[in-house]
Amino acid sequence: MIKKFKRAENKKLYSNFISLSFLHAANLILPLITFPYIVRTLGIEIYGLVIFAQALISYFSIISEYGFNFSGTREISLTKNNIEELTTAYNSIMTARFVLVIICFVVMAIIVFSFEKFSIHWELYFLTFGMVIGTMLFPTWFFQGMEKMKYITILSVSSKAIFTISIFVFVKSPSDYLLVPVLNSGGYIFVGIISVIIINVNFKIPFKIQKSINVWRHLREGYYIFISTISTNLYTTTTTVVLGLVTNTTMVGYYAIAEKALRIIVAIFSPFTQTIYPHVIQLAKNSFEETVVFLRRILNFTILISIFIWIIGFIFAKPIFHLLFSQNVNHSILIFRILSPLIIILPTASILFNVVLLPFKMDKYFSRIYMTGAILNLFVLGILLFVFKLSTVGAAISLLICEFTITIYAAIVIQRNNIKVFSFYK
């Protein structure tokens, strides 16, 4: 009976991994098609402006998500066998996100119209905000908690495919830059609406505004994760925003090209964390020892593969960048090589934070570590930008230092809590 159950669990895990692998293959291939085209068509300066707007609006995405991609996944995973509790959890989280989006929109409008640097391109910021609305509507956390990754795959790939085709059809010159957020936001909102319909029809869960007591409970439960995600933003997106404020959009463009390329590479590892996260939650309920052994194997495999990819990326960065962008991007190549150790660090950190700390309910460490990283980044970034005048190079060095520091911090916390995942045996 136990063997039969394990076979069923492994089959489900494998199915979810295949679905997410297909999704992330699309997430790698489609941006690789559109990303260089957008840079070449808009030019580095206008591309930097678009990226700056996305960086600013991403603050509101983080607030509206409120860490529900993790706390919500955990809640859905634990209540999925009770339709009443599942319905309450889904609607409470959706209601909370809806309220947060309204607040974010008001704050965004005030900021944009209060400063000339933003108001001269107000249309860009309002159109980019559509991504926040779409993200609110698309409950990735629900499908992930239900371990129904095929829905995420089908919806996301369809949206990205439409966006990719539309970019080549409609974006022909720098003057078409507003079409980028229009098409991007439209894809997010379309997927969000369809997903709400699927949950209503296939899972028999209609959307219904919940009582404030249920909403507040989920906000409290997601608080530590929310603080950590805000902190994460302070040393990732904030770097781009600060560059845009103290330099210019051309420098933002050079930095964004390098960081975007690196994030696309790191995205290779996302299927691992997204697939095994709900599985580890269930595993941790039954056997601590078995969970640690499973995590150790995943972590060892991730580190070995990431080292190999880092070596390839570092060596072949120059010819690949010149092939893709066909213009003077030597500065972006320099930034990419400075950031390249993150190809090893980020997948490792993702396992430690999202697949070890959260399933073992060490949320307080999760937020504490990220807050440390945020404070460190602001301090280091300030010194490198304003004292040593390093601009993009300083931004890259600061991000690298902070990511490395918080990864080591997380590893120490995990080992001290007797979760021995760092061992190349068993």
Side-chain angles (χ1 to χ4, degrees):
M1 185 70 179
I2 295 176
K3 289 183 177 180
K4 184 177 180 181
F5 173 75
K6 286 188 175 181
R7 281 198 300 269
E9 283 295 302
N10 290 336
K11 183 178 180 181
K12 181 167 60 176
L13 196 63
Y14 178 75
S15 174
N16 289 332
F17 176 72
I18 292 297
S19 294
L20 284 175
S21 294
F22 184 76
L23 169 62
H24 286 283
N27 285 343
L28 286 173
I29 295 170
L30 296 180
L32 279 175
I33 296 172
T34 57
F35 172 38
Y37 176 79
I38 292 173
V39 172
R40 291 197 302 267
T41 303
L42 300 183
I44 292 178
E45 183 178 0
I46 300 298
Y47 174 72
L49 175 63
V50 171
I51 292 298
F52 179 73
Q54 289 180 4
L56 181 67
I57 297 303
S58 71
Y59 286 115
F60 301 110
S61 289
I62 294 295
I63 293 172
S64 66
E65 287 176 0
Y66 198 79
F68 288 130
N69 281 346
F70 295 109
S71 63
T73 299
R74 183 169 63 194
E75 182 75 9
I76 297 300
S77 179
L78 295 173
T79 62
K80 63 183 178 181
N81 295 321
N82 185 317
I83 188 62
E84 185 177 343
E85 291 182 3
L86 178 65
T87 301
T88 300
Y90 166 74
N91 281 307
S92 296
I93 293 172
M94 287 295 285
T95 300
R97 285 162 68 97
F98 179 72
V99 172
L100 289 170
V101 165
I102 293 175
I103 295 172
C104 286
F105 182 80
V106 173
V107 173
M108 185 271 295
I110 293 172
I111 292 173
V112 168
F113 289 120
S114 297
F115 300 95
E116 184 180 359
K117 187 176 182 69
F118 302 133
S119 62
I120 57 176
H121 298 292
W122 69 269
E123 304 100 323
L124 177 62
Y125 298 100
F126 276 78
L127 292 172
T128 305
F129 191 85
M131 296 171 59
V132 180
I133 298 173
T135 301
M136 180 270 292
L137 290 171
F138 186 29
T140 304
W141 45 271
F142 178 86
F143 295 122
Q144 196 174 339
M146 295 295 291
E147 297 188 75
K148 300 292 183 181
M149 276 57 162
K150 65 179 181 179
Y151 291 106
I152 300 175
T153 301
I154 294 170
L155 291 169
S156 295
V157 171
S158 298
S159 172
K160 286 177 171 57
I162 294 171
F163 172 74
T164 300
I165 295 170
S166 300
I167 285 292
F168 285 99
V169 172
F170 298 109
V171 180
K172 299 294 185 181
S173 69
S175 62
D176 296 326
Y177 74 98
L178 287 178
L179 290 176
V180 176
V182 167
L183 297 172
N184 207 5
S185 296
Y188 274 84
I189 293 172
F190 171 76
V191 165
I193 292 172
I194 296 299
S195 65
V196 171
I197 294 173
I198 288 174
I199 292 173
N200 191 350
V201 174
N202 291 12
F203 295 92
K204 311 300 180 186
I205 302 177
F207 175 66
K208 182 180 179 182
I209 298 293
Q210 291 294 293
K211 296 178 180 179
S212 59
I213 188 172
N214 291 331
V215 174
W216 277 113
R217 181 175 70 83
H218 284 85
L219 288 173
R220 285 196 303 271
E221 290 179 356
Y223 173 75
Y224 286 116
I225 302 173
F226 170 64
I227 294 300
S228 65
T229 51
I230 285 289
S231 302
T232 304
N233 223 42
L234 288 176
Y235 65 85
T236 53
T237 304
T238 296
T239 301
T240 303
V241 173
V242 171
L243 275 178
L245 293 174
V246 302
T247 60
N248 53 60
T249 55
T250 300
M251 288 294 101
V252 172
Y254 282 126
Y255 180 84
I257 289 170
E259 188 181 14
K260 176 80 169 179
L262 183 129
R263 299 289 178 184
I264 289 174
I265 294 172
V266 171
I268 294 172
F269 297 91
S270 293
F272 287 104
T273 53
Q274 284 190 288
T275 300
I276 66 178
Y277 176 57
H279 176 73
V280 171
I281 292 173
Q282 296 296 327
L283 199 61
K285 289 170 57 180
N286 301 319
S287 171
F288 176 84
E289 291 77 13
E290 189 175 344
T291 305
V292 172
V293 171
F294 176 78
L295 290 170
R296 184 183 300 146
R297 290 170 179 167
I298 291 294
L299 187 61
N300 291 345
F301 176 77
T302 300
I303 292 173
L304 290 173
I305 294 298
S306 63
I307 291 173
F308 174 76
I309 295 174
W310 168 66
I311 294 172
I312 299 298
F314 189 90
I315 294 173
F316 294 102
K318 188 172 182 178
I320 292 173
F321 270 63
H322 285 162
L323 175 66
L324 290 176
F325 303 106
S326 65
Q327 52 182 297
N328 185 18
V329 289
N330 288 333
H331 191 65
S332 292
I333 295 169
L334 171 64
I335 300 304
F336 176 82
R337 282 178 167 160
I338 294 172
L339 291 172
S340 64
L342 293 178
I343 295 173
I344 303 170
I345 296 169
L346 290 178
T348 303
S350 182
I351 297 292
L352 298 181
F353 283 99
N354 302 334
V355 191
V356 181
L357 290 178
L358 289 183
F360 285 101
K361 295 188 176 181
M362 292 190 285
D363 299 22
K364 63 179 181 179
Y365 293 112
F366 196 96
S367 58
R368 188 182 303 166
I369 295 170
Y370 274 121
M371 183 61 73
T372 300
I375 295 171
L376 178 63
N377 181 64
L378 291 175
F379 178 72
V380 175
L381 184 62
I383 292 176
L384 295 177
L385 286 183
F386 298 105
V387 178
F388 292 98
K389 310 295 182 183
L390 290 178
S391 69
T392 52
V393 172
I397 293 172
S398 178
L399 180 60
L400 182 61
I401 290 173
C402 291
E403 291 287 4
F404 177 76
T405 301
I406 67 167
T407 302
I408 295 298
Y409 190 172
I412 293 172
V413 167
I414 289 168
Q415 290 294 103
R416 285 182 175 176
N417 280 271
N418 294 316
I419 305 175
K420 308 295 183 182
V421 295
F422 284 97
S423 177
F424 285 87
Y425 60 88
K426 294 187 181 180

